Each structure stands twice: as structure tokens, then as C-alpha cells.
């Protein structure tokens, strides 16, 4: 059984991974989704819509990408507003009306404005530190004396589950904020509400082939969403709760 010596290197390694994920988040996410960059020349109405909304939100123009996936979804990433990107799947662009697409884009721009990629990095780091403290506490207060492998396994599982719950709870809270701020950027919650209904329904029929489930929190509707106890670890609130919250903004 590994002893205290492994804890600090694992903690440092986890911190480095989280910082790296934040610093290269745009490159990692776009490459994973095989995004193709759009420009003013070839981006058409989609590019112009994002440009108009970014101006309204007082944000620098983010890079815009189109991803060759039929599952309708969208995401934003980047370590700062000046290094941000917004991406849409082909299915999203084909499914949604202009007003719905504007609502989705405004939601993603709200994530950029609120620096939610940084927030996710901090949440992951805090969760990792708490897990480290749980492991260290076991070692310091009882591990060396009891040497009970079963107790050690239970502590590790509880620490890991607790860390995952913390990250998921923070991610869900940021979605509510992005919904509200996105509705303000778009000028109305109606487009986003209609888009969420469609995206929720179609995402169940056409699952997103997403190579990195760790990035589920990026998307406007969560890929690979389950039910029952898995909802505790969901990175997004239930769509009906998001719609109820948005309806209060009318």
C-alpha cells in the first residue's frame, strides 16, 4: 500500500494538470471536437451574429468554430476574453432558428465574460486540495497506526466522490448565471428557452460523440447525461429548472 510519500507529488501533479488545462483549454477542446475556424469572409450569418452579440456584451470578438457533429450542441472555452472561442456543432446550426441560435451564442458569451473556464479550473483545484487533505488526515491521524487497507480505500472513495460533487455543484451554479446573463445579452430569454427545449430533446436522440467526457461542463447541454444518482455529478442543472429560472426574466 502506498504511503504518505505519494500524496504531495500527486497533489503537485494535479495542480499542474489543472493549470495546463486552463492555459490550453481552447486548443484542447477545439481539437477534440475537430472544429473548423470561421472568419468574416466564410462565416456568414453565424459569424456576424456572434460579432454583434460580442459587441453588445462589450467583449473582444472570440474565434468562432464549426464542429462536424450532427448532435446539436455548443460550447465556449478560453483562458480569458481575449483568448476565447465559441464553437457550434453542425447539428446545432441546422436545428435552431436565428433567434434560438442567438440565445445559445449569448449564453456562451456570458461564460466568456464571467471567466467560467478559470472558475472551473479553480473549482477542480480546490476539490483536489480537499481530497488531498482527506488522504493526508487519514495518514496522519490513523493510517500509520491502523494500516487497515479497507479503511484506506473507503477514505479515498469518499474523498474522490466529495471532490466530484463540489466540482459539479459549482458548474451547475455557473450555468444558471450564464443563462441569466445570456438572456440579457440577447435582449430576451425566449430564444435561449426555445433552444434549450430543442437541444434537450434532440441530444437524447443524437448523442454527441465527445472524446473527452471531462469536458462535458463546457457544453450548453450536457452530453452523456444519465439519471438517478448520476444527477448528483451532473455538470448542468436539469433543463426544466433552467427554463423555470429563465421564465422569471420575462
Amino acid at each position: 500500500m502506498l504511503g504518505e510519500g505519494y500524496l504531495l507529488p500527486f497533489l503537485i501533479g494535479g495542480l499542474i494538470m489543472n493549470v495546463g488545462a486552463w492555459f490550453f483549454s481552447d486548443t484542447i477542446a477545439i481539437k477534440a471536437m475537430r472544429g473548423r475556424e470561421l472568419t468574416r469572409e466564410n462565416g456568414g450569418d453565424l459569424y456576424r451574429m456572434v460579432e454583434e452579440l460580442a459587441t453588445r456584451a462589450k467583449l473582444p470578438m472570440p474565434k468562432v468554430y464549426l464542429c462536424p457533429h450532427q448532435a446539436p450542441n455548443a460550447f465556449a472555452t478560453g483562458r480569458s476574453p481575449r483568448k476565447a472561442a465559441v464553437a457550434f456543432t453542425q447539428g446545432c446550426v441546422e436545428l435552431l432558428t436565428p433567434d434560438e441560435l442567438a440565445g445559445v451564442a449569448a449564453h456562451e458569451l456570458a461564460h466568456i465574460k464571467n471567466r467560467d473556464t478559470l472558475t472551473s479550473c479553480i473549482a477542480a483545484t480546490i476539490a483536489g486540495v480537499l481530497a488531498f487533505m482527506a488522504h493526508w488526515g487519514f495518514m496522519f491521524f490513523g493510517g500509520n497506526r491502523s494500516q487497515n487497507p479497507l479503511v484506506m480505500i473507503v477514505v479515498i472513495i469518499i474523498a474522490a466522490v466529495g471532490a466530484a460533487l463540489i466540482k459539479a455543484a459549482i458548474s451547475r451554479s455557473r450555468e444558471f448565471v450564464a443563462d441569466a446573463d445570456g438572456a440579457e445579452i440577447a435582449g430576451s430569454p425566449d430564444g435561449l428557452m426555445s433552444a434549450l427545449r430543442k437541444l434537450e430533446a434532440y441530444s437524447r436522440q443524437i448523442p454527441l460523440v465527445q472524446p473527452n467526457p471531462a469536458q462535458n461542463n463546457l457544453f450548453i447541454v450536457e452530453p452523456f447525461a444519465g439519471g438517478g444518482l448520476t444527477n448528483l455529478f451532473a455538470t448542468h442543472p436539469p433543463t426544466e429548472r433552467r427554463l423555470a429560472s429563465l421564465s422569471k426574466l420575462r
Side-chain angles (χ1 to χ4, degrees):
M1 187 67 96
L2 294 173
E4 300 95 320
Y6 86 98
L7 289 175
L8 187 57
F10 276 21
L11 175 64
I12 295 172
L15 293 175
I16 292 172
M17 288 177 61
N18 285 329
V19 172
W22 166 69
F23 198 83
F24 298 107
S25 61
D26 51 345
T27 302
I28 295 170
I30 296 300
K31 285 189 175 180
M33 291 294 292
R34 295 182 287 126
R36 173 174 65 88
E37 186 174 358
L38 303 180
T39 64
R40 185 177 285 107
E41 288 70 32
N42 67 13
D45 291 341
L46 180 62
Y47 186 94
R48 287 190 290 273
M49 177 197 67
V50 174
E51 189 173 37
E52 179 183 339
L53 290 169
T55 300
R56 192 181 300 177
K58 299 180 180 178
L59 285 169
M61 180 61 187
K63 291 183 178 181
V64 182
Y65 290 87
L66 185 64
C67 304
H69 296 263
Q70 283 305 307
N73 222 315
F75 66 92
T77 185
R79 63 183 183 272
S80 72
R82 294 193 177 277
K83 298 290 185 179
V86 179
F88 306 84
T89 65
Q90 186 68 43
C92 182
V93 174
E94 293 175 356
L95 173 67
L96 302 182
T97 67
D99 284 346
E100 292 166 346
L101 204 54
V104 169
H107 170 96
E108 300 306 336
L109 289 172
H111 276 306
I112 293 170
K113 190 170 186 176
N114 296 331
R115 298 177 181 264
D116 283 333
T117 299
L118 176 60
T119 301
S120 296
C121 174
I122 292 172
T125 302
I126 291 173
V129 170
L130 291 176
F132 165 79
M133 291 174 65
H135 294 177
W136 181 85
F138 172 80
M139 287 288 189
F140 185 79
F141 292 109
N144 286 336
R145 291 191 294 273
S146 67
Q147 292 295 324
N148 188 329
L150 180 60
V151 174
M152 182 63 175
I153 290 171
V154 170
V155 169
I156 291 173
I157 291 173
I158 291 174
V161 169
L165 288 173
I166 290 169
K167 288 192 293 183
I170 292 174
S171 178
R172 289 194 295 270
S173 71
R174 300 314 301 167
E175 288 301 317
F176 282 122
V177 174
D179 283 345
D181 290 351
E184 182 178 354
I185 292 169
S188 166
D190 293 336
L192 178 56
M193 291 176 69
S194 180
L196 286 174
R197 293 189 187 98
K198 283 187 179 179
L199 293 173
E200 172 75 11
Y202 278 81
S203 66
R204 296 176 184 273
Q205 301 173 32
I206 312 173
L208 180 65
V209 181
Q210 208 274 91
N212 187 2
Q215 295 176 342
N216 280 5
N217 64 301
L218 294 178
F219 293 88
I220 189 166
V221 291
E222 184 175 6
F224 306 109
L229 288 177
T230 59
N231 286 336
L232 292 173
F233 303 97
T235 59
H236 292 56
T239 298
E240 57 270 21
R241 288 186 58 197
R242 296 174 70 179
L243 292 172
S245 181
L246 281 166
S247 67
K248 297 176 182 177
L249 303 178
R250 284 173 163 162

